Amino acid sequence: MLPHWACFGFHVTLLAPPLQAPKEETRYAFVVEWYDPSASLVRKYQLIFYTADGTLEMYDLKNRRTFLKRCDYPGVGEKDLFKGGIITVYSRQLTVVEYADSYTASVFEKKAQTTVAVVTGEAIASMGRVIDAFNSSGFVISELALLQGELALALTGDLSSISFSDLLAQINSQLGEGAVVEATADVFSAPKPQVFDIDLSTLLLIRPHTVKAGLLGRMVDQVMGSGFRVLNMKMVQLSRPNAQEFLEVYKGVVPEYADWVEELTSGKGVALQLVNDAKPEATVMALRELCGAHDPEIATHLHPHSLRAQYGENKTKNAVHCTDLPEDGPLEVDYFFTLL
Amino acid sequence: MAPRGAPDYLILKRRKAEEDRRAYEGYTRSNFKAETNAEWEIRTQGVIENTQTKQRYESIRRADQQALDIRRRKLAEMLGAEQAMFQYQLESLAEAPEQRKARMESRAKELKDKREQERLEFVRQQYERQWRLACDPLRELESKAILRATNAARAYQIGEKMKALEMEEEENRAFDELWERDRQAKLGREGREDEARRMMDMEHKMVLDQQVAELHDSRAAERELSMEEAEMMKVQWEIEHQEAAKVEALRREVLENAQKELHEFNKQKRQQLSVSVAEEREADLMRLQAQLDAEKAEEQREVMAREAMQKETRLFAEHMLKQKRAVASREAEIAVAQKAELDKAWEKRLAVWGQEQEAREKLMAQVLHERKMQVERKLQDVKIDKSKQAEARVRLEDELARVNQIEAQKLEEGRQTRLEHSALLQNQIKEKAFQKAAAQFNKAQERMAAERAEAAYQAMLHDQMSKTSASMEKYTSTGT
């Protein structure tokens, strides 16, 4: 069976070997930190991940007692666990600060190596396909930012099993020489582009569950193919107060408000500032139409080609958030690209 | 001692000073009050400003909250309208009963046509088969071909069977040979093990015999050794007994000598003690006499000293009286000079106090003037504030009335929306129940039609199969 990104016209050979079945009861241990807002303290825990059944366990390092008994938590997988990664366990945002034992360190330092790629020039128009190619090759996108006419991507994965240079060569053979180049992490410290055309633009927030599922590239490609121009783009990890503040207009209006807050804080999402080239004044409504109904089930029946119909799972995990009220477009864009 | 004289002057001066003091304290108190009032004014101004800032902040917050409420209301309206539209679109997507009936009819017709086609095809095949069976030359050729194929297949089967038998025979032979080889090997191994066990038993027996002999020898040697040891112990005990008797005799002799020496020493000691007691008694009597003499001489010396002291005191008293008289005359002169000096100092102090009083009055007048100005300003501000508050209250009441009206309207809208939603839900439930019943009915209808068609088909097939088996029996009988 062909990989799903083959439909975009890429012919990239799969370089990663097939994944081996995990050993019985292999466990990885990490040191994670949680900022306790009530006590204004950073608390440290040991998080243990069992690969055999994907269960989690947490141990309080200060009080020397079990904090969370071993339990199934489908929201956290092996791919989310790497140094610097942020995961959410039962409404607590935990930051992985280090590996707790040498075995885990030896496995994950090999598995979670980070490299940076920059999509340049004309290839920006095909950035969705590039992102999808990286995702399909086993990389996790840990950082993303649209700089001055370039898209910088931090890719985390097992560089010993994936030949990054070969992958770049194959992408460049499709998009032209120099379309995607390797760079250092310094590119993320470059000045961010100025936020402009706020009044005519709208916000599209690709939810964390979609980013985790590796659907970011396909969605960006579909959005750009539907007549929208990306003015600004960045990867964001929302804290609980930020998510509550951002979604405050939905509080008391939609019953899924609390679940949306929970979902937005569960990982990294991608925010896009978009404008519709054909009808800039109707950008917000055009994007709403592209996103479809809030409920993917309704969208499947009424708007089968919408983003929520194709990539949404349920009312909470409905793939994307887009600005609903036309006058809220500038507010939401301003919140993500100026205030945050 | 202070000189007597002019007590009225001092009392009057003291009273005047006290009155001045009271007046001064009154001024000070009034100044303090003025200062306190001024401080209160300043602090109150800060409080007022702070309150105004808070009110401004609260008004901004309220404005934000109102804007948020407006946005929420708009969003709710928009989402509600959208939901209604989706509902309508979904309902329009759902099949109408007529459409459903037409679809089911077309489906039934399609199934019927399909069955009919199948039946026609089967009939055609059967006719063809019938024709083939009715065609004698074809049947003859066919039977010959079948016979040839059957013969060939039988020959092949016999060959295969013979090959299998041969292979089985060969395997059995190989297994027999292997079994025999194994049996011989086992027999040889058992014989060797028996021989080895016998040799081992003999070696064990020899070793045990040798150990028993050595044990007997060692026990005899131990018995001899113990007897020798008992003899040696007896000799040893005899020698020790004699030694103990010698030691006891020596000890008794030493004790007797020591007692004798002790008696001698005690006797000498008693004699020395009686001599020393007599000497000490004589010395005590001599010391007592000397002490009594010394006390008598001391008493005589004290009487003489007391008399000399009385004489000295009298002389001192006379001299003191002379001196006091001289001092009294000198102090009267000093009191006159002191009074002159005090008057001069009092005048000077009065002048200073007058200057100070003048300055205080000037300051007080200034403070009172400023205070008056502040109070006037304050009164004006209070008037302005009161007018503003009255206006704000009127505005607030208007706003409150408007908010209450909006709230009532919202509540009414919410109630209407809930009623609509519940009606909508009930309709959906009824529709769903109807659809479910219709689906079950359709399924039952389809199943019964299918069962009927299946039964007809099975009957026809059974007939044909019976015919076929009959013809096959014919073939069999022809073959044999």
Side-chain angles (χ1 to χ4, degrees):
Chain A
M1 190 179 148
L2 280 171
H4 59 79
W5 43 265
C7 59
F8 291 132
F10 277 121
H11 300 290
V12 180
T13 49
L14 198 62
L15 299 166
L19 288 172
Q20 290 178 350
K23 286 177 187 173
E24 283 296 313
E25 281 297 301
T26 303
R27 42 167 266 172
Y28 298 124
F30 307 88
V31 176
V32 295
E33 282 183 351
W34 171 57
Y35 176 72
D36 183 355
S38 56
S40 297
L41 282 175
V42 175
R43 300 190 187 282
K44 270 193 174 184
Y45 301 97
Q46 190 181 49
L47 183 134
I48 300 159
F49 179 79
Y50 296 89
T51 55
D53 51 3
T55 48
L56 290 179
E57 188 179 352
M58 282 174 75
Y59 182 77
D60 191 336
L61 290 173
K62 191 184 172 192
N63 298 319
R64 295 170 184 276
R65 62 190 172 86
T66 301
F67 182 71
L68 175 69
K69 279 187 182 175
R70 186 175 170 178
C71 65
D72 192 21
Y73 198 81
V76 176
E78 204 174 322
K79 272 194 165 183
D80 306 319
L81 297 165
F82 54 87
K83 207 169 179 178
I86 296 171
I87 54 169
T88 304
V89 179
Y90 290 117
S91 306
R92 286 180 169 79
Q93 270 191 358
L94 307 171
T95 309
V96 181
V97 288
E98 57 184 304
Y99 303 114
D101 57 32
S102 56
Y103 173 68
T104 310
S106 68
V107 172
F108 275 82
E109 274 170 3
K110 202 176 134 203
K111 259 183 169 177
Q113 296 173 72
T114 301
T115 184
V116 176
V118 175
V119 184
T120 58
E122 294 296 318
I124 285 288
S126 309
M127 63 181 167
R129 296 162 62 195
V130 175
I131 292 168
D132 199 50
F134 284 132
N135 273 330
S136 306
S137 303
F139 282 110
V140 172
I141 294 170
S142 52
E143 186 56 61
L144 178 149
L146 190 66
L147 306 171
Q148 305 288 350
E150 293 178 335
L151 177 73
L153 299 162
L155 307 164
T156 304
D158 187 358
L159 288 173
S160 62
S161 64
I162 308 168
S163 172
F164 186 61
S165 53
D166 287 354
L167 184 61
L168 283 188
Q170 288 182 51
I171 293 171
N172 284 336
S173 69
Q174 302 283 326
L175 297 176
E177 199 54 41
V180 184
V181 293
E182 191 171 358
T184 58
D186 298 337
V187 292
F188 288 104
S189 52
K192 302 284 182 290
Q194 202 173 355
V195 185
F196 56 93
D197 282 349
I198 284 185
D199 293 338
L200 294 174
S201 55
T202 185
L203 178 89
L204 177 72
L205 179 63
I206 298 176
R207 290 186 183 276
H209 77 94
T210 331
V211 177
K212 273 184 198 169
L215 300 169
L216 175 65
R218 285 206 272 173
M219 293 177 78
V220 170
D221 201 58
Q222 189 172 340
V223 170
M224 291 174 80
S226 304
F228 288 94
R229 187 155 47 89
V230 179
L231 298 180
N232 219 329
M233 185 177 183
K234 72 172 183 181
M235 186 169 253
V236 283
Q237 169 70 54
L238 287 178
S239 64
R240 181 166 284 275
N242 283 344
Q244 282 172 342
E245 194 180 17
F246 174 61
L247 293 173
E248 69 177 351
V249 73
Y250 293 93
K251 191 175 183 181
V253 177
V254 291
E256 295 86 16
Y257 166 76
D259 296 334
W260 283 359
V261 170
E262 185 73 21
E263 208 285 319
L264 281 187
T265 54
S266 68
K268 287 185 173 178
V270 175
L272 292 99
Q273 183 193 356
L274 300 172
V275 67
N276 190 351
D277 280 335
K279 282 185 182 175
E281 67 282 356
T283 298
V284 174
M285 299 318 283
L287 185 66
R288 285 195 84 232
E289 203 174 321
L290 176 66
C291 291
H294 279 114
D295 188 351
E297 203 176 332
I298 294 175
T300 310
H301 288 98
L302 299 179
H303 321 108
H305 300 294
S306 64
L307 294 174
R308 284 174 180 144
Q310 291 181 75
Y311 308 111
E313 294 171 22
N314 50 42
K315 277 187 179 180
T316 308
K317 292 183 175 179
N318 60 358
V320 288
H321 163 83
C322 67
T323 311
D324 281 316
L325 286 172
E327 60 267 33
D328 279 2
L331 277 178
E332 294 193 354
V333 168
D334 198 37
Y335 185 80
F336 268 94
F337 294 100
T338 311
L339 294 178
L340 278 186
Chain B
M1 194 176 164
R4 278 173 169 257
D8 295 343
Y9 176 80
L10 284 176
I11 288 164
L12 290 171
K13 282 289 178 194
R14 182 66 182 261
R15 279 181 187 161
K16 193 168 184 308
E18 279 174 355
E19 277 170 15
D20 291 346
R21 175 81 186 167
R22 270 196 291 279
Y24 175 69
E25 279 177 0
Y27 289 135
T28 311
R29 244 181 241 121
S30 68
N31 282 350
F32 176 74
K33 272 186 188 172
E35 186 192 354
T36 314
N37 284 337
E39 272 181 10
W40 179 82
E41 284 293 330
I42 293 161
R43 212 168 37 237
T44 310
Q45 191 62 31
V47 171
I48 289 165
E49 281 169 8
N50 196 15
T51 314
Q52 280 172 349
T53 313
K54 269 187 187 170
Q55 281 173 351
R56 174 84 183 127
Y57 171 75
E58 288 299 327
S59 70
I60 291 168
R61 283 294 302 270
R62 270 199 303 279
D64 281 352
Q65 189 60 40
Q66 279 172 2
L68 183 64
D69 288 343
I70 291 166
R71 280 172 65 204
R72 277 182 181 155
R73 197 163 54 245
K74 275 188 186 174
L75 185 66
E77 282 167 6
M78 189 175 143
L79 292 178
E82 200 176 63
Q83 181 70 24
M85 191 181 74
F86 289 158
Q87 184 73 32
Y88 174 72
Q89 286 176 351
L90 282 172
E91 280 169 4
S92 63
L93 275 181
E95 232 173 3
E98 292 79 20
Q99 288 173 329
R100 187 167 192 76
K101 195 178 167 188
R103 188 174 61 79
M104 282 173 68
E105 279 173 356
S106 70
R107 174 75 177 147
K109 190 171 178 301
E110 192 185 325
L111 285 170
K112 194 179 165 187
D113 291 348
K114 195 179 166 192
R115 287 278 178 210
E116 185 59 25
Q117 283 295 323
E118 284 173 2
R119 195 182 65 79
L120 286 173
E121 180 63 20
F122 182 71
V123 168
R124 193 190 61 74
Q125 283 177 2
Q126 292 305 310
Y127 276 133
E128 189 183 341
R129 188 165 172 269
Q130 195 178 15
W131 178 82
R132 285 173 70 89
L133 290 172
C135 182
D136 286 341
L138 185 65
R139 274 174 54 201
E140 195 181 337
L141 280 173
E142 205 172 62
S143 66
K144 277 180 185 171
I146 289 167
L147 190 65
R148 272 202 300 278
T150 311
N151 286 337
R154 182 150 183 79
Y156 177 75
Q157 283 173 358
I158 290 166
E160 286 290 310
K161 198 172 178 183
M162 291 304 292
K163 272 185 191 171
L165 280 170
E166 277 176 17
M167 279 179 74
E168 195 180 351
E169 193 71 25
E170 199 173 339
E171 273 181 10
N172 285 338
R173 276 201 298 277
F175 279 125
D176 287 347
E177 194 181 340
L178 280 172
W179 185 83
E180 181 59 27
R181 210 181 295 158
D182 191 41
R183 194 179 69 82
Q184 291 298 335
K186 277 181 186 166
L187 283 173
R189 194 167 65 239
E190 281 174 6
R192 283 195 298 278
E193 282 175 0
D194 286 344
E195 186 63 27
R197 199 178 298 120
R198 202 163 46 249
M199 291 296 290
M200 206 178 287
D201 288 346
M202 281 176 65
E203 282 175 8
H204 279 172
K205 190 168 172 299
M206 283 170 66
V207 168
L208 285 170
D209 288 345
Q210 193 179 347
Q211 285 176 349
V212 168
E214 283 174 0
L215 188 66
H216 284 306
D217 292 347
S218 69
R219 279 182 184 163
E222 275 176 9
R223 259 199 307 276
E224 282 175 11
L225 265 172
S226 63
M227 285 172 70
E228 282 175 10
E229 203 172 349
E231 285 298 321
M232 283 172 71
M233 290 292 280
K234 272 182 191 169
V235 172
Q236 182 75 21
W237 288 341
E238 191 64 33
I239 291 165
E240 283 177 1
H241 190 66
Q242 287 173 1
E243 284 289 326
K246 279 181 189 170
V247 168
E248 184 62 25
L250 275 171
R251 192 179 67 82
R252 205 172 290 140
E253 194 179 340
V254 167
L255 277 174
E256 283 171 1
N257 289 336
Q259 276 179 349
K260 277 178 189 169
E261 282 178 6
L262 187 63
H263 281 307
E264 286 298 319
F265 177 74
N266 287 341
K267 201 173 169 182
Q268 283 176 5
K269 206 71 180 160
R270 272 196 295 274
Q271 283 173 358
Q272 281 177 358
L273 202 62
S274 60
V275 170
S276 68
V277 165
E279 283 173 355
E280 274 181 11
R281 194 174 292 143
E282 280 176 13
D284 286 346
L285 285 172
M286 283 172 72
R287 271 198 296 278
L288 185 62
Q289 191 59 44
Q291 185 67 23
L292 289 171
D293 294 343
E295 281 177 1
K296 198 180 278 176
E298 185 67 23
E299 276 177 6
Q300 283 175 357
R301 254 199 319 275
E302 277 180 4
V303 169
M304 283 170 75
R306 204 178 297 126
E307 284 171 357
M309 180 65 81
Q310 282 170 353
K311 194 175 174 184
E312 185 88 8
T313 308
R314 273 194 300 276
L315 276 173
F316 181 73
E318 285 168 7
H319 183 68
M320 278 297 285
L321 279 172
K322 280 179 190 168
Q323 271 191 346
K324 274 179 186 173
R325 276 182 213 114
V327 165
S329 63
R330 203 162 52 241
E331 274 181 356
E333 287 169 10
I334 288 168
V336 172
Q338 205 171 13
K339 184 176 171 295
E341 284 298 316
L342 276 171
D343 286 342
K344 211 184 282 176
W346 185 253
E347 290 302 324
K348 203 173 174 182
R349 199 182 297 165
L350 281 178
V352 171
W353 282 356
Q355 282 171 3
E356 283 176 359
Q357 183 63 27
E358 196 178 344
R360 260 197 306 278
E361 279 169 1
K362 201 187 279 178
L363 182 67
M364 196 59 210
Q366 198 176 346
V367 166
L368 284 173
H369 178 67
E370 284 178 5
R371 167 72 186 137
K372 195 179 170 188
M373 295 294 286
Q374 281 175 354
V375 169
E376 279 173 3
R377 269 204 306 275
K378 172 77 180 147
L379 280 171
Q380 280 178 356
D381 289 349
V382 166
K383 273 182 194 169
I384 292 164
D385 282 352
K386 274 183 181 171
S387 63
K388 278 183 182 173
Q389 278 175 1
E391 284 171 13
R393 196 178 300 119
V394 170
R395 276 204 305 275
L396 189 67
E397 281 168 3
D398 291 347
E399 188 66 21
L400 201 62
R402 200 174 62 80
V403 167
N404 285 338
Q405 195 182 349
I406 290 167
E407 285 294 324
Q409 199 179 344
K410 269 168 73 178
L411 282 171
E412 182 58 27
E413 281 172 4
R415 199 176 62 80
Q416 286 295 335
T417 312
R418 276 198 298 280
L419 283 172
E420 281 169 15
H421 280 180
S422 62
L424 205 61
L425 279 171
Q426 289 202 347
N427 281 340
Q428 281 178 355
I429 291 163
K430 280 179 191 167
E431 176 65 21
K432 193 140 190 174
F434 171 74
Q435 284 177 359
K436 196 175 174 186
Q440 282 177 352
F441 175 73
N442 290 337
K443 274 185 190 167
Q445 286 293 320
E446 280 179 13
R447 194 167 56 245
M448 281 165 67
E451 280 173 359
R452 276 198 299 278
E454 187 68 27
Y457 171 74
Q458 288 296 333
M460 193 182 288
L461 194 64
H462 182 69
D463 289 346
Q464 293 300 326
M465 284 299 287
S466 61
K467 282 177 193 168
T468 308
S469 60
S471 51
M472 283 307 290
E473 276 172 17
K474 217 184 280 176
Y475 287 141
T476 314
S477 62
T478 313
T480 52

